[in-house]
Amino acid sequence: MTAVTRNGTWGAVFALSALGLLACGGTPSGSDGGTDAGSGGCIEDIDCPDPQLFFCNTTTSQCEPSCRSKEECSAARRGEHALPFCNGSLGCECDDGKCVGSLCSSDADCGTQVCRDGACVAPPAATAVAKCSVTPDVVVMKEGSKAKFWVTAWDASNKPIVVKEGATWSAPGGSPLTGSGTGGTAEFTASTATVGNTPVAAAEASFGTAKCGAKAIVLPGALAAGEVAVAVIDELSGRPIANVDVVLAGTNGTIVQQSGADFLKTDARGYVKLTGAPATFSVSAFHAEYTYLTVANYSGSSRFFSMVLRRNQTDKYGGYKGGFGSTVPASPNVHAAIAGMSIAGSITNLSIAQLLGPSVPTDIRIGSINKPAVPIPAGIFLGFGDQQIKNSFAGQGLAGTCTDTSGNPNETKIGAGECGTRTAWALAGDVPLGDLPIDAVVGGLDNLDIGALLSRILPIFKKFNSSVVRDVQFDLKATPFVNGAPDFSDQAHFVSKDHSFTQVPLAFSYVVKLPTLPKYRGAFIDGVAIIGGANSPGQGVVPLGIGVGVNTETVDGQTDQQADLPSPGLVQVRMAPTHHGLEGGEYGLVIAGISAKGLTESSAGLGASAIFARLPGNTLAFDPKGATPVDVSSLSFPVFPESAKFNFTNVQQRTIPGRSFRFKAAPDLSGVQALRVSFTDSKEHRWDVLMSAASASVAAGFTLPAIPSGTAHADRLFANGVASGTQSTLVVQTMRLNSNPAGSGTAVDFNGFVELTGTNADRTTDLLTGFAFLDFGRPSVSFTTPEDSPATIAKGSKLVVEVKNFKIGTAGGDDGVVGLSFTSGGNPVAGCDAAVLKTETMAGNGELEYTLPTSCAGADLSMKAELLDIDEATPIAPAISVTQTVTIQ
């Protein structure tokens, strides 16, 4: 059993459960064609025309076609009760005892026809394309490097259209690129450096008379001895970034001077050239509107870098809002949905605050639940019968590209980060009240048994439905900050876009065979969450399905055996096919192993270890029993990057030099190529550091340079941007990369990832096969008894101190202890001796107790709790403490 004991809100429980509680209604697979003609209402199975072929759905009081195998859905078996919707080319499946029409998932399922919106239809002609768009529409390359392009198209009514043969690709006259072909994607090679700072026409896709293209800047590839070239590129628009301060430094963080300056700026091409680099060095890029980036300890031969930066994700915000209108079923059930926007760029590079959006206080009254003002995430939709509990949703998207009223790129808005284009998605359905594990969540997070909750949610997944709206263009505006946190509550500028409640069902039930689960802090993780989706080129990953496996019965290296599956280690997934313009996109599964220790142990970081797998043949199968599972057991879960440590000061702490990163214990980074360390300040501005996983160890890590003099850049190692402030949060992530994850690709080494080639960080999602991360947070200490300040307490009272993200102890792998002191007017108080607290009330809970001596008394005393190093005397640096005013009498 896994019990959650860390306090939280009931709304967090709802958000956790929402993915599983979303939908029960609609049709669990393809259309069931409604009830059998003439079958009428029913109370029990004998009221149906043939109890061997029908069952009575007591929720709807209607007879529905039953089965135990696919054959029992056939006309040959059902005779006069044959089902018309099973007569198509795809036939029917027997899904959980009910006959449902089959769906297709790719053109390969449809012979000479094509698969569109889950049905086999006549292929659209290329002449039906009225306009198209190439992604990326701007690329920055160097001579000899390669770039991959995708094309999307629309018909005359501006609806997405996917042509089976794809487009005809060519390089227009005067193009600096070479390449050609047919299909939905093509690869081009940069052959000639461009002149000037403006991108030029480089690649063209055509569907008959409908043409579209991409532009390129090609930089000269030759470098002289000692030279380093840097191209700085916006991750989500592909545009070069000008006026970026670029710093060259040695491995000890010492800046390599050039012409008396600490830095050089990129030009309009996002390009800068530096000289005087040693054999091994680091390159850093600083721009106030973007994530800082350091490529640490590089020792390759190319010395031509692609530095891909993402805009500060919470500086501006925008997205879409809407509802389901009249498509919500008129039933007495719970109507629930979760909605959002496609995950743009790297799936490992998210802002949780932006992904979830603001919480909306919502009164929930469902069955035995009666909870006022529950903070529900903006993306949740909820109703019950004819009661509208939360009848709208909103999803946020990241800045990227957009077009003006003429259909041309709006370079003004793109350059300012004031627009984006993403795919809106929703998972929705009708949930009979009796199917909800209400009793498992009414108590809130305290003592919540997550394993039991998830095991009861699993059966609901088969009834989810998917809705997709491609090409949603939106504006972004500056984000106000309230009490130091981004405020996304004003959504007046969000574009309105509604979903259909039952657009396409999650018709495909299949099974994933997992490898041995990873361990965190010496124990196997508690379960896995599987998100199935597809990549929409230029717009991001769109969730299409879900599955969950728990590891609670016998906590070992396999998930628990699920009902109807033959063995442990198998997890059932429900998923919709690509639809409504996503057809042809690459199917993928993010299989995230999750530990509850981040909730139950105060010093443990939140994190996950994940496999990013592609589906064989880029198609889905209906295989609920797992006769031929999707086998990812040959892949491994990357090891959690435990024991990471960063010294935020300028002087050595223990064995770690100033401004340096190390592991306290030897890490197992086998199979991963890159390590990313992220520091996030109070405004969610980040400083990312990339280094080779092969060079990370107890003795070796990286040292960051000082912020270049002569600039106004904040030092993002600190929450307030000033070196005298509190440290920023620390996240450590590993990445496993492959040049062609769906085929016979090879590992992309660290140099290939950071050099300007065709395998750069702007294609992280395309290259990723696995990742792991840990959020080490920021250490903190607080008084929980007494909680108020000022407070009056009795002599001999018990004090309770709580620490977070700080491992109590005095061993080498521990963080330290808590020092307690009492002063009045800055002087020690007689009878109130200083104390060191180093034993938790329960191992790992972060609570420490101290009983005041009866001699300790006084008015308006300053009571201070401070985090100390393992020597039990030296305050950690930067110092972290809390002081309260107390009267002890």
Side-chain angles (χ1 to χ4, degrees), residues 838-879:
K838 52 186 177 181
T839 303
E840 294 165 302
T841 58
M842 184 173 69
N845 72 351
E847 290 189 351
L848 302 98
E849 294 181 348
Y850 176 73
T851 301
L852 289 169
T854 56
S855 60
C856 182
D860 297 326
L861 305 181
S862 293
M863 180 174 66
K864 180 180 180 180
E866 184 172 27
L867 300 183
L868 305 178
D869 207 338
I870 57 175
D871 64 4
E872 304 183 29
T874 307
I876 68 167

Side-chain angles (χ1 to χ4, degrees), residues 784-802:
T784 59
T785 304
E787 187 175 2
D788 296 330
S789 179
T792 299
I793 57 178
K795 291 189 291 184
S797 294
K798 180 180 292 184
L799 306 179
V800 181
V801 175
E802 182 180 31

Side-chain angles (χ1 to χ4, degrees), residues 133-141 146-152 169 177 184-188 199-205 212-217 233-240 400-401 409 411 414 422 536-539 758 762-763 766:
S133 175
V134 172
T135 300
D137 64 337
V138 173
V139 293
V140 177
M141 307 172 67
K146 298 180 183 295
K148 191 173 184 179
F149 298 95
W150 290 260
V151 65
T152 51
W169 294 86
L177 310 186
T185 184
E187 188 174 75
F188 285 70
V200 301
E204 184 177 83
C212 49
K215 296 180 178 181
I217 291 174
I233 302 164
D234 185 309
E235 178 192 3
L236 300 181
S237 75
R239 270 64 175 172
T401 62
E411 296 296 345
I414 294 171
R422 307 290 171 221
S536 178
Q539 299 189 27
D762 57 341
R763 291 190 57 208
D766 298 331

Side-chain angles (χ1 to χ4, degrees), residues 483-564:
N483 297 324
D487 181 2
F488 303 125
S489 59
D490 179 9
Q491 298 172 351
H493 64 296
F494 281 33
V495 64
S496 295
K497 193 68 64 175
D498 289 343
H499 280 290
S500 172
F501 205 82
T502 56
Q503 194 177 66
V504 173
L506 273 61
F508 289 91
S509 174
Y510 59 92
V511 174
V512 177
K513 183 179 181 181
L514 302 177
T516 301
L517 299 177
K519 289 183 176 181
Y520 177 47
R521 292 199 163 190
F524 286 108
I525 59 168
D526 300 276
V528 297
I530 302 178
I531 303 296
N535 195 14
S536 178
Q539 299 189 27
V541 174
V542 181
L544 294 171
I546 191 168
V548 171
V550 298
N551 182 27
T552 57
E553 292 180 0
T554 300
V555 180
D556 55 15
Q558 293 183 306
T559 53
D560 298 342
Q561 184 172 349
Q562 295 184 350
D564 300 327

Side-chain angles (χ1 to χ4, degrees), residues 15-96:
L16 171 69
S17 307
L19 289 177
L21 302 182
L22 292 184
C24 207
T27 53
S29 268
S31 173
D32 63 2
T35 56
D36 183 63
S39 64
C42 63
I43 298 176
E44 52 186 326
D45 292 352
I46 59 173
D47 297 331
C48 298
D50 185 341
Q52 297 298 313
L53 300 176
F54 295 89
F55 73 97
C56 180
N57 185 328
T58 55
T59 299
T60 62
S61 297
Q62 294 291 318
C63 295
E64 297 184 6
S66 63
C67 57
R68 288 168 294 182
S69 66
K70 181 173 182 175
E71 189 274 334
E72 292 187 359
C73 298
S74 66
R77 172 66 180 85
R78 302 187 73 88
E80 63 177 312
H81 299 297
L83 304 171
F85 59 86
C86 292
N87 293 334
S89 60
L90 296 173
C92 273
E93 298 289 356
C94 182
D95 192 354
D96 196 32

